[in-house]
Amino acid sequence: MDYEVYRLSRKEWLIYGSQGVGYLALLDFVFYRSAGLMAVLVPLGLCYPLVIRKELKKRRREALKLQFKDAILSAASGLNAGYSVENAFASALEEMDRLYGKNSMISEELRLILAKTRMNRSFGEALGDFARRSGLEDIQSFSDVFLAARRSGGELVRIIARTAEIIGEKIRIQEDIMTATAARRMEQRIMSAIPVLITFYIELTSPGFFSLLYETAAGRMVMTVCLGIYLGACSLSKKILEIRI
């Protein structure tokens, strides 16, 4: 699998296409209330899966990174116990099968690496191929250190074990940050929904209160500006919560 490429399934096209149409229908109701505009926007909503594909790819890579963290920490424990590199990762594979399942991304990748080594390919070459396909900096760093240590002929086991611990700790810190900011991300979603909820509330309690905004050219211009501010605020709040180390 090339983790840089995300192929949408039919189910995902259906689910996210429906979501896209739903989001645009909601925005049309809040800011324009135009059936003609909604008819134009429906095809755009059906293309929403193409927009969210980048986010889905990011989620998949984040999941792979967390699984890789557990795998290399498990392998590091095996190396510290005196296992060879291949045996340490074979032991890590068994643990990943129990932890994530045999069909998980990390289990399939470890199984592929070990299968390549049994076909007389070097472990470093197989690991490097995985690192390139993953597109993840941490996996690439681990692969580079492994190849450098094997070429130098130094204390390979100790170097790899220490590198695994350092990379594992870095990923663990990233995971802690995500956990610590989970409440803030939920608040961001709630705040993004509040303008829409307020509009629905006023429309239910005072029908026709916003009619002027939807029936005049000046009103539509005001609502267009409000839409731009709303989308900009949602985008900015999302970027603020993206913390990288």
Side-chain angles (χ1 to χ4, degrees), residues 18-110:
S18 300
Q19 283 186 6
V21 173
Y23 290 151
L24 290 178
L26 187 62
L27 291 177
D28 177 68
F29 176 81
V30 173
F31 291 97
Y32 295 104
R33 298 192 188 174
S34 169
L37 178 61
M38 187 59 214
V40 174
L41 293 177
V42 167
L44 294 178
L46 295 175
C47 293
Y48 180 63
L50 299 176
V51 176
I52 202 173
R53 181 167 55 184
K54 183 178 179 181
E55 180 64 24
L56 294 173
K57 182 176 72 172
K58 179 181 176 182
R59 292 177 193 172
R60 183 177 67 182
R61 291 172 64 181
E62 288 296 322
L64 176 63
K65 182 165 65 174
L66 294 179
Q67 293 177 14
F68 176 73
K69 181 251 310 183
D70 291 331
I72 60 173
L73 289 178
S74 175
S77 298
L79 291 170
N80 288 325
Y83 289 7
S84 67
V85 173
E86 289 79 4
N87 288 337
F89 277 89
S91 176
L93 171 60
E94 294 177 1
E95 188 171 340
M96 294 304 102
D97 284 345
R98 292 192 297 269
L99 186 60
Y100 294 109
K102 293 185 177 181
N103 294 325
S104 63
M105 290 181 288
I106 193 62
S107 291
E108 291 183 349
E109 291 296 344
L110 290 178

Side-chain angles (χ1 to χ4, degrees), residues 201-234:
Y201 175 76
I202 294 177
E203 186 64 28
L204 287 173
T205 56
S206 303
F209 185 83
F210 291 128
S211 297
L212 190 64
L213 294 173
Y214 302 120
E215 297 173 358
T216 64
R220 291 186 183 280
M221 290 179 62
V222 170
M223 294 306 285
T224 300
V225 172
C226 291
L227 175 61
I229 294 173
Y230 174 74
L231 295 177
C234 290

